Amino acid sequence: MYIAAAILSVLLAVVTLGAGAPKALLKGDVPAMLQSHLGLSAGLVRFIGLAEIAAAVGLVVGLFWQPLGIAAALGFTVVMVGAVGFHAKAGDYADAKTRGNAMAPIILTVLSIATAVTLVLAM
């Protein structure tokens, strides 16, 4: 079970780091879209990016100390549930043009829960 936990942790860490870095730096299209379309402040976007980076670090360190990996996966789950809520509030799931981008938090929520579960089972 540890191999599955390690694969999921690394996969989620890479995706999380890739998603969090532009938000923390406020660079690129995603932070601008979050500010304009969802109405988030620059400070909140940066905070979300830093939380995602912290989750990525926690997932990697969690390969060696699993309680931290579990906490990081569950913390990232909370961030993604919040993202789903913001996308739902903005009506992104009803609009065919924005539905594709809004599905990422749902997929990442499932992936982070699966990572937490496998880390628990690998202990």
Side-chain angles (χ1 to χ4, degrees):
M1 188 56 74
Y2 179 77
I3 294 173
I7 291 170
L8 288 174
S9 292
V10 170
L11 176 65
L12 187 60
V14 168
V15 171
T16 303
L17 185 61
K23 293 174 194 159
L25 299 172
L26 295 177
K27 302 279 185 193
D29 296 337
V30 173
M33 186 277 301
L34 291 173
Q35 292 174 10
S36 64
H37 179 65
L38 296 179
L40 302 179
S41 69
L44 182 57
V45 172
R46 179 167 280 144
F47 176 76
I48 292 167
L50 291 173
E52 291 176 349
I53 291 170
V57 171
L59 286 163
V60 172
V61 174
L63 292 172
F64 306 101
W65 188 49
Q66 289 158 329
L68 182 62
I70 294 165
L74 293 176
F76 185 66
T77 300
V78 170
V79 172
M80 289 298 100
V81 168
V84 170
F86 272 99
H87 282 290
K89 182 179 176 186
D92 290 342
Y93 296 110
D95 186 3
K97 289 187 278 185
T98 58
R99 188 177 305 131
N101 288 337
M103 292 304 290
I106 293 173
I107 294 166
L108 291 174
T109 299
V110 172
L111 180 60
S112 62
I113 291 169
T115 302
V117 169
T118 57
L119 282 168
V120 167
L121 294 175
M123 286 183 75

